[in-house]
Amino acid sequence: AQSVTQLGSHVSVSEGALVLLRCNYSSSVPPYLFWYVQYPNQGLQLLLKYTSAATLVKGINGFEAEFKKSETSFHLTKPSAHMSDAAEYFCAVSDRNSGNTPLVFGKGTRLSVIA
Amino acid sequence: ETGVTQSPTHLIKTRGQQVTLRCSSQSGHNTVSWYQQALGQGPQFIFQYYREEENGRGNFPPRFSGLQFPNYSSELNVNALELDDSALYLCASSLVGGGGNEKLFFGSGTQLSVL
């Protein structure tokens, strides 16, 4: 069975500061890993995904994540936070990179950005 | 804008009633998945339909059922509503062609409250 643990249900950073959202996964097979963002009253939007092509994955809006097999981690970072980054972020895992594979999501981390 | 629309946006029902939630996928998408997102939790996979047939199911009881239609729309039906069914219900569509790497497009969800 696959699972994802997101450390910290709420993270608060100052505008311009580093954003670090933590995600650890558990999987018995090589995982495919995803980060999604959810703005208020909106659905989920894909930020980036790891599909084994490269361990450092760059996504939209300046976000990136690094796959570390030894640490079973896939933390999301952004060098400089912007007010518009305030949202809920979800890490997810699946066993295939396909549009018909169920995703297993973490509980989410709410990011607040302080001016 | 993902091209996936859900209706209604909000719904209030009482315990024991039945509810139907609707999703209109992007034109041409042959796969639709439904997820339940309880308050403070990540989305949980309910089931998936591929070319109008159920193609996978999560850990949800049979009173959760669905339909997918040829016109790219789909329904989630829940019978005998319970208080714990209160959640945001998300649908996601994709065009699955066997090559992998297909992207999921999420709707904004239907917020169901069961009183």
Side-chain angles (χ1 to χ4, degrees):
Chain A
Q2 298 177 304
S3 67
V4 163
T5 301
Q6 291 185 241
L7 299 175
S9 59
H10 186 206
V11 170
S12 185
V13 300
S14 298
E15 191 174 19
L18 171 72
V19 175
L20 171 61
L21 304 182
R22 300 177 186 274
C23 172
N24 288 90
Y25 69 90
S26 173
S27 178
S28 57
V29 298
Y32 293 92
L33 294 159
F34 306 78
W35 275 100
Y36 281 86
V37 61
Q38 186 176 38
Y39 297 101
N41 301 316
Q42 295 188 26
L44 299 171
Q45 180 182 6
L46 180 66
L47 278 176
L48 50 81
K49 64 178 176 181
Y50 167 74
T51 60
S52 77
T55 57
L56 182 62
V57 182
K58 294 188 183 298
I60 62 172
N61 302 338
F63 284 94
E64 63 181 37
E66 186 172 8
F67 173 72
K68 292 187 176 181
K69 184 177 179 180
S70 61
E71 299 177 7
T72 61
S73 68
F74 190 58
H75 301 331
L76 181 71
T77 61
K78 181 174 181 178
S80 177
H82 192 271
M83 297 296 289
S84 61
D85 294 326
E88 189 89 19
Y89 291 81
F90 293 95
C91 182
V93 63
S94 74
D95 59 4
R96 279 180 292 153
N97 179 27
S98 171
N100 65 352
T101 304
L103 296 171
V104 177
F105 286 88
K107 292 186 176 182
T109 297
R110 178 168 297 176
L111 176 66
S112 297
V113 182
I114 304 168
Chain B
E1 185 63 44
T2 65
V4 179
T5 57
Q6 294 187 241
S7 62
T9 55
H10 295 83
L11 198 54
I12 298 175
K13 291 286 189 178
T14 56
R15 192 171 50 183
Q17 286 188 312
Q18 179 267 344
V19 70
T20 297
L21 309 182
R22 293 180 173 83
C23 173
S24 179
S25 302
Q26 278 199 19
S27 179
H29 281 192
N30 54 17
T31 302
V32 64
S33 303
W34 287 89
Y35 287 81
Q36 180 196 64
Q37 185 179 3
L39 189 64
Q41 303 293 318
Q44 273 195 298
F45 175 70
I46 302 174
F47 47 56
Q48 174 182 269
Y49 279 78
Y50 173 67
R51 293 183 174 177
E52 303 167 44
E53 296 285 334
E54 187 175 298
N55 189 38
R57 190 177 187 93
N59 189 26
F60 281 81
R63 58 189 186 84
F64 285 79
S65 63
L67 288 170
Q68 184 186 25
F69 304 101
N71 66 350
Y72 313 117
S73 67
S74 60
E75 291 180 354
L76 164 64
N77 299 290
V78 187
N79 293 322
L81 283 167
E82 301 177 359
L83 297 180
D84 285 348
D85 296 333
S86 295
L88 179 68
Y89 289 84
L90 297 165
C91 79
S93 73
S94 63
L95 174 59
V96 176
N101 203 32
E102 300 94 351
K103 187 176 178 180
L104 275 180
F105 293 84
F106 281 86
S108 299
T110 293
Q111 183 66 53
L112 173 65
S113 298
V114 182
L115 306 178

